[in-house]
Each structure stands twice: as structure tokens, then as C-alpha cells.
Amino acid sequence: MDYKKLGFRCGLEIHQQLEGKKLFCSCKTSNLNTTEPDITFERRLRAVAGETGEIDKAAKHEMEKSKKFIYEGDSEDCCLVEMDEEPPHSINPEAVNAALQLAVMLNAKIVDEIQVMRKTVIDGSNTTGFQRTALIAQDGELKTSKGAVKIPTICLEEEACQKKEDSKDFVKYRLDRLGIPLIEIATDASIKDPEHAKETAELLGMMLRSTGKVKRGIGTIRQDVNVSVSGKNRVEIKGFQEIREISKIIEKEIERQISLKEKEDAHVRKVEDDGSTSYMRPMPGAARMYPETDVIPFKVDISKIESAELISDKAKRYEELGINKDLAKVLAKSDKAELFEKFTEEFKNIKPSFIAETLISSLREIKRKNVDVEKIKEKEFEMIFKAYDKGKISKSSIMDILSDIAEGRFKNIDHYKVEEEADTEKEIEKIVKEKPGLSAGGYMGLIMAKFKGKVDGKKAMDILKKFMK
Ligand SMILES: [Zn+2]
């Protein structure tokens, strides 16, 4: 398909949850939603006129449904702010910092002062009837393989409640997710084709993860796509779960728009399980924003913004340390990257590639046995590298040590100590004498079984050669 000829216009909006505390209170953001709720209350919401004096179309659409909203939550994750019984506290400075780091990566113009706004949302997903949002930076740019994509806005927003049940008379929401900080990045409509949309989403996702401050896992990042072709109204598609589906879903949507006989109103659609989309609600208008007077504006100190290294740059740097390309990529993305940096600094005599293999490949292998590798922490790795650095243990015993720690069998590092060279020689001599006439491979099998990783293979071979003459 010739997307240029079709007048293809496409832009993305990415929402990424941040780690740490909530945006306007000190509640945790464990986001589990699995505990028994100890908070329950009900509300009805009403649309109010925005700055322009008119009631927002999308807000009215929800109000006409006139449903009751039921909220449930765990008091560990929610306080009076989420319940809208108390005004919001000042904006979470760590969340602001993450958004500022991203603004720097995207070369965007950072605002002097962060002013929180209220955006009318009346489907009950916010107990207040609005979502708080703050502009952090404007006019950024993302470099892609098909040219630059402009980033008109980078905002910080609060996450909404999670919908649990939608019946004829009420909607039930889980309150715990409400208030988790979200970075919202919007691109302009210059994305050139469906594949380009995927590339753009992937690059932005990589930049967000590069801040080291984002949540991971399903539902922690969401992409909305705005798309249209010549002569058709813009449609927003929500609810992507998998980034790799983006191009396919956009292709389908374009086919749908082309096949339309009459012009539709601009509207929001959601992605169904089979990759098709269905009508969700009208497009919200400009009438939905007004200032949040309960939060004082936050002065931005540009000199205090920490810089973050892009994951892609980090992977390149690791490759230059002699780590193979695939492992370097995995390591740069993983939560072990920080440990890797620390250990390469601390153990200068150990090859960085060996540290990387231990932290990533060895751990992955142990994980296959279905054991809890989370038991192996910084302290344990440090003990292992220390012992290896001093020649106390051999390379081949490290897998055993890691397995034993993960499976709760580990007692003492001395247990894995390499044999004294004199003892090793004596043992090898004995093996050769007991079973004369074997091949080197045959002896090595016996030797390695005897020492169970407590001797270095190459060293054992050297000793063996002496006795085999
Ligand atoms: Zn709270």
C-alpha cells in the first residue's frame, strides 16, 4: 500500500507508569490489586463546564449513562487523596525528575514552571471527576530510520483506577492504581507508515526504560494511536497490549477507513482480542482542561536534572568491553546492569564478559530448573566474585554455587574451594595408576567427576599430561 498517496497521518501517545510513590501523595505503587480490599465507597459524578464554558462531549457521553461508581481499595496503597477526601499533596519530585530526563533525551524545551491542570474525566475512573496532568516539556524530536518525528508534548499525569466490573447499573473500580505517576509522550502526525509507528513506539519505550525509573511488565506501558487517511476523520485507537501488533492493527484500521461509504465523526476505538477495533466513545474536545488550584506550581531547576544513558548506547559500550552483541543487549536492558557496572569497577582482574555471563546467562540457566533466582542478591554475587578473584574457587564451580544459593542449600564458600595443587596432583596420579591405558578424555571424565568443579579443567589437563607420559 502506498501510504503517502493515501494521505496517511499517524501519531502516537505513550503512557508509561513510573516506579516509586504516587504523584500527589506518599502512597506505595505496588499495584498488586490482589489483596482483599479494606476500603469501599460509592460515588456519582457530574460533568462540569470547562474553561470555555461548555460541557465536554466525551464527559457528557459518560454522564448520560448515569451509572453509580463503586470503589474498592487496599489502605496500604490508598489514602484520603485517592478517595478525594483530602487535597493533593505537592507533586512527587522523583517523578518530575524522570520526566525531565526524558525531556533531555528528546531534546525538548523544558517549561520554567510546572503547572498542574485538571482534565475532565467522568467515566468514574478518577474519584475527583478529573485527571491531573502537567506539561513538562514541548517541541522535542525523536530521530528514527525514516526521519525525525516531532514530540509536541511530554506530560506527567496521574494513572486512573482499574475497572473491575461494568454492569447495567454500576461500574466497579479498584482504587490502588489511581495516582501512580505516568509519563505521557505525544508525537505529531508525521509517522509515515504502520511499520514506522512500531519503530517510533519501540524507540520511545527504550528511552523511557533508559531512565531506570519506570515500571516493568504487562499494563505498565500503553500506546494510543491516532490515525487517518485523506478525506476521513481522525480515529484514536486505545488498548494496545503488544507493541509488535501496532503495525498490523493500523493496517486493518486504514483498510476499514477506506471501505467506509460515509464520513464518520472523529472518535475513540479500542483494540479487540482478534486485532480488530470497535467504537468506544466520542473524541474528547478542548473543553476538558482547567487549572488545578490545590497544587502549587513547581519551579524547574534545569541544573539539577540527572542525565541518563540510553539503553542502546549502554549496549554498545558493553560490546566494546568484549561482551558479545546479544548478551550486551540483554544486559543493558536488564535490572542487573547496575550490578554489572559495580562489579566491573570492583573486580578489575575479572573479565567483564565473565561477570556478564554470570549475571545473565548462568542465572538464566538456573532459572530453567524452576528455582527462585531472586534469592541470589548483590551480596551473594559479590561473595562469589571475591572468591573467584582470589583464586579460591574455579569458574566451573560457580554454577553449583548459584544453584545451591537459589535452592537454599548453600552453607559456606569454603565448601567449593579449589583443591590445593599438590592434592590435585596426588589424586590425578592415583586415578591414572588405578585405570591404566585410558584416553585423555576418559581420564578427564573421571577427574572432573571426582573433583566436581573444584578444579580448573585446563589445569587438570596439564597435570594429567605429566602422568600420561
Ligand atoms: Zn495516597
Side-chain angles (χ1 to χ4, degrees):
M1 228 181 262
D2 187 341
Y3 288 98
K4 202 173 169 187
K5 230 179 192 171
L6 281 175
F8 180 83
R9 285 175 62 75
C10 175
L12 295 179
E13 227 179 71
I14 309 242
H15 294 90
Q16 167 75 63
Q17 292 182 355
L18 297 180
E19 263 313 340
K21 290 177 179 164
K22 290 202 179 169
L23 194 52
F24 294 108
C25 63
S26 303
C27 288
K28 293 194 304 184
T29 63
S30 50
N31 198 14
L32 290 173
N33 289 345
T34 49
T35 49
E36 219 18 70
D38 57 357
I39 300 172
T40 315
F41 59 92
E42 293 177 9
R43 292 278 161 83
R44 272 177 203 279
L45 296 178
R46 185 168 296 282
V48 284
E51 269 183 324
T52 55
E54 45 180 313
I55 290 179
D56 182 70
K57 227 179 175 181
K60 225 176 137 202
H61 172 81
E62 289 301 333
M63 195 166 63
E64 277 157 7
K65 290 197 256 171
S66 177
K67 280 185 191 173
K68 181 167 74 180
F69 302 119
I70 301 172
Y71 298 95
E72 285 183 353
D74 182 337
S75 54
E76 288 261 307
D77 298 329
C78 319
C79 66
L80 292 172
V81 174
E82 286 88 336
M83 295 161 79
D84 193 31
E85 300 283 354
E86 188 183 302
H89 307 174
S90 53
I91 195 162
N92 171 350
E94 281 169 30
V96 171
N97 275 334
L100 290 172
Q101 280 188 332
L102 194 84
V104 172
M105 288 179 199
L106 288 165
N107 218 354
K109 293 183 189 76
I110 292 166
V111 298
D112 298 328
E113 207 174 59
I114 297 169
Q115 166 71 60
V116 181
M117 301 290 284
R118 295 174 172 183
K119 186 157 73 179
T120 307
V121 177
I122 205 150
D123 62 359
S125 59
N126 291 68
T127 47
T128 49
F130 52 79
Q131 179 188 30
R132 296 185 185 97
T133 175
L135 179 69
I136 302 294
Q138 284 172 295
D139 298 330
E141 200 179 88
L142 176 75
K143 289 188 181 75
T144 73
S145 67
K146 291 175 180 162
V149 172
K150 298 257 183 263
I151 307 292
T153 56
I154 298 168
C155 294
L156 202 50
E157 296 188 334
E158 53 183 3
E159 176 69 285
C161 295
Q162 195 172 19
K163 195 186 268 185
K164 284 298 202 193
E165 207 181 322
D166 196 347
S167 78
K168 200 162 82 38
D169 310 309
F170 68 88
V171 187
K172 191 187 265 183
Y173 285 107
R174 183 77 190 204
L175 203 56
D176 306 47
R177 204 180 69 175
L178 180 65
I180 290 179
L182 284 180
I183 292 184
E184 185 210 68
I185 311 169
T187 76
D188 71 350
S190 64
I191 290 171
K192 293 190 170 64
D193 54 60
E195 269 307 310
H196 193 209
K198 185 173 157 225
E199 182 194 347
T200 304
E202 281 171 346
L203 282 171
L204 290 173
M206 186 271 288
M207 286 187 166
L208 283 160
R209 288 190 298 277
S210 297
T211 65
K213 294 181 175 118
V214 304
K215 282 195 186 286
R216 308 270 185 123
I218 298 164
T220 58
I221 183 163
R222 296 192 295 274
Q223 292 92 5
D224 299 341
V225 181
N226 276 285
V227 63
S228 68
V229 288
S230 291
K232 310 285 178 188
N233 267 322
R234 177 170 70 100
V235 160
E236 182 177 325
I237 310 172
K238 277 186 184 291
F240 286 94
Q241 293 292 333
E242 291 281 354
I243 219 168
R244 59 173 183 267
E245 309 251 291
I246 281 191
S247 43
K248 206 176 72 201
I249 290 165
I250 296 176
E251 281 164 23
K252 272 195 188 170
E253 171 58 17
I254 294 305
E255 281 167 24
R256 192 192 68 84
Q257 290 190 14
I258 293 170
S259 71
L260 286 175
K261 296 216 166 57
E262 280 165 42
K263 196 166 173 177
E264 300 177 311
D265 278 344
H267 64 276
V268 182
R269 303 180 72 80
K270 68 166 191 269
V271 179
E272 302 292 349
D273 291 340
D274 63 356
S276 66
T277 60
S278 62
Y279 182 89
M280 196 173 162
R281 56 174 163 78
M283 193 74 81
R288 63 202 297 234
M289 288 271 242
Y290 55 107
E292 164 62 271
T293 44
D294 285 333
V295 181
I296 45 165
F298 183 98
K299 265 237 169 289
V300 178
D301 185 349
I302 294 178
S303 69
K304 289 212 173 111
I305 304 173
E306 313 158 39
S307 66
E309 186 183 24
L310 282 182
I311 289 172
S312 51
D313 292 342
K314 197 182 270 183
K316 263 182 226 145
R317 184 161 59 82
Y318 289 169
E319 248 189 280
E320 281 158 18
L321 292 173
I323 297 170
N324 85 52
K325 197 173 179 177
D326 290 337
L327 182 59
K329 260 191 196 166
V330 176
L331 176 63
K333 266 197 278 195
S334 92
D335 58 355
K336 295 284 184 293
E338 219 172 296
L339 277 187
F340 172 79
E341 303 274 347
K342 180 179 183 278
F343 292 144
T344 43
E345 198 45 47
E346 191 176 340
F347 302 106
K348 291 220 160 59
N349 293 322
I350 304 180
K351 273 193 187 157
S353 59
F354 181 66
I355 295 177
E357 278 157 24
T358 307
L359 292 173
I360 302 291
S361 319
S362 304
L363 224 51
R364 196 190 282 156
E365 212 162 300
I366 292 167
K367 222 175 173 174
R368 277 202 204 109
K369 293 194 270 179
N370 252 334
V371 294
D372 182 14
V373 294
E374 295 307 314
K375 277 190 186 152
I376 314 170
K377 299 209 160 42
E378 179 177 345
K379 195 172 81 214
E380 279 78 29
F381 282 116
E382 190 163 31
M383 165 193 76
I384 291 170
F385 288 128
K386 226 176 229 168
Y388 176 70
D389 194 30
K390 287 188 182 145
K392 271 193 183 171
I393 56 169
S394 77
K395 232 180 218 189
S396 46
S397 67
I398 288 182
M399 278 293 285
D400 287 338
I401 301 175
L402 290 170
S403 294
D404 288 351
I405 294 170
E407 294 177 78
R409 280 192 306 261
F410 179 83
K411 287 194 183 75
N412 195 319
I413 194 87
D414 291 337
H415 179 71
Y416 309 86
K417 245 184 173 167
V418 281
E419 299 280 324
E420 293 292 331
E421 195 153 334
D423 296 340
T424 314
E425 282 206 29
K426 237 183 260 166
E427 282 297 332
I428 292 177
E429 190 179 10
K430 208 171 122 199
I431 288 170
V432 175
K433 270 190 184 150
E434 276 171 6
K435 295 220 160 75
L438 291 185
S439 68
Y443 284 127
M444 278 307 283
L446 294 173
I447 292 165
M448 294 325 269
K450 167 93 193 161
F451 290 106
K452 290 193 183 74
K454 290 182 192 177
V455 356
D456 181 68
K458 197 183 160 297
K459 203 177 258 171
M461 193 61 172
D462 289 342
I463 299 169
L464 177 66
K465 277 181 192 155
K466 280 200 285 190
F467 296 114
M468 276 186 72
K469 268 181 205 161

